Amino acid sequence: MDGYHFTLAGAELIALGSGALFWPEKDLICVSDLHLGKSSRLLRRGGPVLPPYEVKDTLYRLETDIMLSAAQTIVCLGDSFDDLEVESSLLEDEVSWLNRLQAGRCWIWIEGNHDPGPMNIGGTHLEQLHIPPLTFRHIPNSSQNCEVAGHYHPKAQISLRGQHYSKPCFLLDENRVVLPAFGTFTGGLKTQSVKLLELMLPNALAILTGKKSRPIPMPRY
């Protein structure tokens, strides 16, 4: 598949332009921070009104990656759902869509800080997942290595022809890869933030998402 190919702890991985991570040897696709149901949660709590198609848009992009990669294992890396009431807010056709994607595949929900825990949507719910040599968890652990994590929704600010842009990105160093948020309408944390500067090594890369995955030195200033 097209994307940025790299090795972490001996595992050959591909950062896709969509924001998904593909591990060809394991037929595994990993995505983080889907935040399904965000628009309905904001509406319930009196927040800004977002277009109501965010769940379908997220599932469409996820399905595209699954079909193109022929992945048999799907790892959702936490904050897959936006709050504790999301199960009741998903539409019947959205739940059916998820069920179709899960059919015949190993589907793993990693616990996040927004997730409601096991629901009636199938799949296996785990605190974290270890597939040697990698460990998949939601929040990066600075004392660990060989980890695939999410949580921070990293974004890199870049300048091009006098214009400034903010792009969701993977962050990569020799210890870990941090995935961008995959969900529609998710915000992001600048790579210059203290948390990300403390987490990532000085030689870290930011792999920009988009039509092509493009690596640049992680912006720090």
Side-chain angles (χ1 to χ4, degrees), residues 32 35 56 94 97 99 106 123 155-156 183 189 193 203 206 219:
S32 188
H35 284 275
K56 292 180 174 60
E94 294 168 345
W97 197 341
N99 290 337
C106 176
K155 283 191 171 184
L189 187 64
S193 70
N203 62 347

Side-chain angles (χ1 to χ4, degrees), residues 15-70:
L16 303 180
S18 64
L21 184 71
F22 183 41
W23 191 355
E25 181 185 0
K26 304 296 184 181
D27 291 324
L28 182 152
I29 279 278
C30 178
V31 292
S32 188
D33 296 274
L34 302 177
H35 284 275
L36 299 175
K38 181 173 183 176
S39 57
S40 63
R41 188 262 298 175
L42 290 175
L43 187 62
R44 286 197 310 272
R45 299 186 182 184
V49 178
L50 296 178
Y53 57 77
E54 51 93 7
V55 173
K56 292 180 174 60
D57 183 73
T58 299
L59 293 180
Y60 172 78
R61 292 183 293 105
L62 178 56
E63 181 176 35
T64 298
D65 281 341
I66 291 173
M67 296 306 169
L68 288 175
S69 66

Side-chain angles (χ1 to χ4, degrees), residues 128-150:
Q128 62 182 29
L129 170 68
H130 183 60
I131 304 178
L134 302 179
T135 298
F136 296 80
R137 58 172 59 95
H138 179 59
I139 301 177
N141 185 337
S142 60
S143 67
Q144 302 296 316
N145 54 29
C146 308
E147 69 173 5
V148 180

Side-chain angles (χ1 to χ4, degrees), residues 162-185:
Q163 300 293 321
H164 300 285
Y165 302 90
S166 180
K167 296 282 289 185
C169 63
F170 297 81
L171 296 181
L172 171 66
D173 64 21
E174 62 190 55
N175 295 327
R176 63 183 49 81
V177 57
V178 180
L179 273 62
F182 194 86
T184 304
F185 300 136

Side-chain angles (χ1 to χ4, degrees), residues 63-80:
E63 181 176 35
T64 298
D65 281 341
I66 291 173
M67 296 306 169
L68 288 175
S69 66
Q72 291 302 302
T73 298
I74 317 301
V75 178
C76 296
L77 207 57
D79 284 4
S80 300

Side-chain angles (χ1 to χ4, degrees), residues 114-135:
H114 280 258
D115 289 317
M119 305 193 307
N120 298 318
I121 301 183
T124 300
H125 292 254
L126 299 174
E127 181 179 358
Q128 62 182 29
L129 170 68
H130 183 60
I131 304 178
L134 302 179
T135 298

